[in-house]
Amino acid sequence: MKSALITGITGQDGSYLAQLLLNKGYKVFGLFPRRSTDSTWRLEFLNIKDDVEFIDGDVTDLASILKALKVSKATEVYNLAAQSFVGTSWEQPILTANVTGTGVVNVLEAIRIFDPSIKFYQASTSEMFGLIQEEMQSEKTPFYPRSPYGVAKLYGHWITVNYRESFDLHASSGILFNHESPLRGIEFVTRKVTDAVARIKLGKQQELRLGNIDAKRDWGFAGDYVEAMWLMLQQEKADDYVIATGETTTVRDMCNIAFNHVNLNPEDHIVIDPKFYRPAEVDVLLGNPEKAKNALGWNASTSLNELITMMVEADMHRVKKEFGI
Ligand code: NAP
Ligand code: F7E
């Protein structure tokens, strides 16, 4: 039986990836940082919490990663751990650098020391393109990060490339554009919107306060994107791939989809609040997934309409349950 170790297993992608790997017959281990409250709700939602094995550890603690490699005997390591909220990265830039940046080299060093034949996946991001240098971003587009998060991720990306080139590690970097789901954290804009839409529809909230609704993102479904991570580690040679839908939409239009689904008018509820503006914004992102399509046979199979509808429905269900409606 193949074993895999996932850092960030309790996050959105970690949970979907764990489910995918379990379905493929892997034994799945998760590096589990200590938290004072339970952080396993996503694994419970997918009904897989008891099927994965947690190993105490943190990506800022090299010794704990080494122990996790030893205990799990993993042949594939997926490094998804991060302080991943862009807004918070201006409030906690050093923590973001330590976890999202230096955390990557800790995992790579652990692999290099323990067993360099272990395959490695790094969760890179379209945030590295930031102030875009080309209208459609591909693996060849120069980077220009715009947040401490983007800067930390850029280090993670290049150190992955460097370990591949220096030590011949099977280390791949997936440059994933925004991907969402009913398991998305509530602070990210899609989930903030779908949760608010459900609460407004059910009479539990009146307004939705947002920042820059002219920003454009290339949004896909997380369930589709974790498949691409796995595919990268099944290739003979490690490489870097952009994972995206190839379509971009404003936050405003994404809101329209969510509100329209439950017959509400967004203009009656959205309030622009400068509190949610960022010190430096990424105005537009649009990914070119051609390489992944050709080399991995990967395609984004969920439209933004389907995705947002799925999220609104899930939040309607949750809010009804919360209020016993
Ligand atoms: P997420 O929901 O924020 O999950 C992050 C995970 O990392 C959580 O399980 C978190 O645990 C864990 N973590 C945080 N600090 C850690 C530490 N010091 N040691 C070990 N684990 C730690 O993020 P996601 O949306 O699933 O994204 C997964 C990865 O892909 C992240 O690296 C993110 O930056 C990257 N990415 C995401 C997107 C996207 O659109 N979703 C796009 C491109 C790249 P706690 O919850 O207990 O803190
Ligand atoms: O913001 C705008 C905001 O926080 C999207 C992370 O997974 O994807 C994510 O980063 C856009 C931005 O995601 C609000 O200014 C307007 O332009 O949902 P978000 P993100 O910053 O794109 C990348 C690929 C990652 O790698 C990250 O880890 O929406 N926006 N009003 C708002 N955003 C939020 N959060 N809240 C608002 O009220």
Side-chain angles (χ1 to χ4, degrees):
M1 187 190 262
K2 273 179 138 182
S3 284
L5 175 68
I6 303 174
T7 75
I9 193 165
T10 57
Q12 171 188 256
D13 293 7
S15 305
Y16 280 114
L17 179 65
Q19 183 183 48
L20 179 94
L21 296 176
L22 287 167
N23 287 340
K24 290 187 183 296
Y26 282 71
K27 177 119 187 76
V28 177
F29 294 83
L31 189 77
F32 194 72
R34 189 194 171 272
R35 298 290 186 254
S36 62
T37 50
D38 188 20
S39 56
T40 57
W41 65 273
R42 294 184 176 91
L43 296 163
E44 275 166 27
F45 182 95
L46 297 175
N47 207 15
I48 55 170
K49 184 179 168 186
D50 295 337
D51 302 328
V52 302
E53 205 162 303
F54 299 115
I55 304 173
D56 280 6
D58 192 295
V59 290
T60 60
D61 181 344
L62 174 63
S64 72
I65 306 167
L66 278 165
K67 186 193 71 187
L69 293 180
K70 197 171 167 200
V71 171
S72 65
K73 299 187 178 67
T75 54
E76 295 176 11
V77 172
Y78 296 85
N79 184 41
L80 311 186
Q83 188 303 97
S84 78
F85 187 51
V86 172
T88 292
S89 76
W90 278 281
E91 308 299 330
Q92 300 182 35
I94 298 167
L95 176 130
T96 303
N98 287 338
V99 176
T100 307
T102 309
V104 186
V105 77
N106 284 335
V107 181
L108 284 164
E109 268 297 278
I111 289 174
R112 190 177 71 84
I113 294 164
F114 182 73
D115 178 1
S117 75
I118 293 170
K119 294 180 179 173
F120 174 78
Y121 172 83
Q122 169 56 16
S124 290
T125 167
S126 51
E127 278 295 300
M128 302 187 307
F129 295 120
L131 186 62
I132 55 166
Q133 303 294 298
E134 277 181 315
E135 200 180 322
M136 203 169 193
Q137 300 89 54
S138 75
E139 297 78 6
K140 295 199 168 75
T141 304
F143 299 116
Y144 194 139
R146 293 272 280 173
S147 64
Y149 168 79
V151 173
K153 279 285 181 186
L154 194 52
Y155 172 79
H157 172 73
W158 280 119
I159 200 70
T160 300
V161 174
N162 180 259
Y163 269 52
R164 179 169 77 222
E165 294 175 354
S166 305
F167 305 118
D168 203 23
L169 294 192
H170 194 293
S172 291
S173 173
I175 306 172
L176 272 54
F177 282 61
N178 299 54
H179 46 280
E180 321 290 315
S181 73
L183 300 185
R184 188 59 144 149
I186 199 85
E187 65 273 38
F188 299 94
V189 75
T190 53
R191 183 73 208 296
K192 180 174 171 180
V193 168
T194 61
D195 175 71
V197 162
R199 284 172 197 277
I200 293 168
K201 184 68 187 175
L202 295 166
K204 302 295 172 194
Q205 186 174 322
Q206 270 305 309
E207 59 178 33
L208 166 61
R209 304 184 84 82
L210 293 173
N212 175 17
I213 61 173
D214 293 319
K216 293 174 103 179
R217 288 293 182 274
D218 180 330
W219 279 295
F221 171 48
D224 294 340
Y225 285 42
V226 295
E227 180 87 33
M229 298 176 187
W230 176 77
L231 282 167
M232 285 178 217
L233 297 208
Q234 310 318 305
Q235 305 307 303
E236 200 177 309
K237 278 186 70 175
D239 206 343
D240 308 320
Y241 299 90
V242 160
I243 301 298
T245 68
E247 283 177 31
T248 191
T249 309
T250 57
V251 172
R252 185 193 304 277
D253 287 343
M254 179 273 292
C255 289
N256 288 341
I257 299 173
F259 279 90
N260 290 345
H261 181 61
V262 292
N263 299 316
L264 288 172
N265 182 359
E267 284 169 19
D268 296 339
H269 303 283
I270 293 178
V271 176
I272 299 303
D273 186 342
K275 185 173 94 183
F276 296 107
Y277 290 160
R278 291 172 176 179
E281 178 62 288
V282 172
D283 293 322
V284 54
L285 289 171
L286 171 61
N288 179 351
E290 274 309 300
K291 179 175 170 183
K293 207 177 275 184
N294 296 331
L296 305 176
W298 181 87
N299 256 315
S301 57
T302 311
S303 71
L304 184 60
N305 241 301
E306 290 167 333
L307 171 65
I308 297 301
T309 304
M310 179 201 320
M311 291 174 68
V312 171
E313 286 299 320
D315 279 320
M316 288 290 289
H317 184 75
R318 269 194 275 240
V319 176
K320 279 183 187 163
K321 211 170 145 192
E322 182 184 334
F323 291 98
I325 300 170

